[in-house]
Coordinates of all heavy atoms in Angstrom, one line a residue:
N17 N 0.4 2.3 -0.6 CA 1.2 3.5 -0.7 C 1.0 4.3 0.6 O 0.0 4.1 1.3 CB 0.8 4.3 -1.9 CG -0.6 4.7 -1.9 OD1 -1.1 5.2 -0.9 ND2 -1.3 4.4 -3.0
P18 N 2.0 5.2 0.9 CA 2.0 6.0 2.2 C 0.7 6.8 2.3 O 0.2 7.0 3.4 CB 3.2 6.9 2.1 CG 4.1 6.1 1.2 CD 3.2 5.5 0.2
E19 N 0.2 7.4 1.2 CA -0.9 8.2 1.3 C -2.2 7.5 1.7 O -3.0 7.9 2.6 CB -1.2 8.9 -0.1 CG -2.4 9.8 -0.1 CD -2.6 10.5 -1.4 OE1 -1.8 10.2 -2.4 OE2 -3.6 11.2 -1.6
F20 N -2.3 6.2 1.2 CA -3.4 5.4 1.6 C -3.3 5.0 3.1 O -4.3 5.0 3.8 CB -3.5 4.2 0.8 CG -4.6 3.3 1.1 CD1 -5.9 3.5 0.7 CD2 -4.4 2.1 1.9 CE1 -7.0 2.7 1.0 CE2 -5.5 1.3 2.2 CZ -6.8 1.6 1.8
N21 N -2.1 4.7 3.6 CA -1.9 4.4 5.0 C -2.3 5.5 5.9 O -2.9 5.3 7.0 CB -0.5 3.9 5.2 CG -0.2 2.6 4.6 OD1 -1.1 1.8 4.4 ND2 1.1 2.3 4.2
Q22 N -1.9 6.7 5.5 CA -2.2 7.9 6.3 C -3.7 8.1 6.4 O -4.2 8.4 7.5 CB -1.5 9.1 5.7 CG -1.7 10.4 6.5 CD -1.1 10.3 7.9 OE1 0.0 9.8 8.1 NE2 -1.8 10.8 9.0
R23 N -4.4 7.9 5.3 CA -5.8 8.1 5.4 C -6.5 7.0 6.2 O -7.5 7.3 6.9 CB -6.4 8.0 3.9 CG -6.0 9.3 3.1 CD -6.5 9.2 1.7 NE -6.1 10.4 0.9 CZ -6.4 10.5 -0.4 NH1 -7.1 9.6 -1.0 NH2 -6.0 11.6 -1.0
K24 N -5.9 5.8 6.2 CA -6.4 4.7 7.0 C -6.3 5.1 8.5 O -7.2 4.8 9.3 CB -5.7 3.5 6.7 CG -6.2 2.3 7.4 CD -5.5 1.0 7.0 CE -6.0 -0.2 7.8 NZ -5.3 -1.4 7.4
E25 N -5.1 5.6 8.9 CA -4.9 6.0 10.3 C -5.9 7.1 10.7 O -6.4 7.1 11.8 CB -3.5 6.5 10.5 CG -2.4 5.3 10.3 CD -1.0 5.8 10.4 OE1 -0.8 7.1 10.5 OE2 -0.1 5.0 10.2
N26 N -6.1 8.0 9.8 CA -7.1 9.1 10.1 C -8.5 8.5 10.4 O -9.2 8.9 11.3 CB -7.2 10.1 9.0 CG -5.8 10.9 8.9 OD1 -5.1 11.0 9.9 ND2 -5.6 11.4 7.7
I27 N -8.9 7.6 9.6 CA -10.2 6.9 9.9 C -10.2 6.1 11.2 O -11.2 6.1 11.9 CB -10.5 6.0 8.7 CG1 -10.7 6.8 7.4 CG2 -11.7 5.1 9.0 CD1 -10.9 5.9 6.2
A28 N -9.0 5.5 11.5 CA -9.0 4.7 12.7 C -9.1 5.6 14.0 O -9.5 5.1 15.0 CB -7.7 3.9 12.8

Side-chain angles (χ1 to χ4, degrees):
N17 58 53
E19 181 179 358
F20 180 79
N21 290 331
Q22 183 63 41
R23 292 178 178 176
K24 182 178 180 182
E25 292 175 359
N26 294 336
I27 295 174

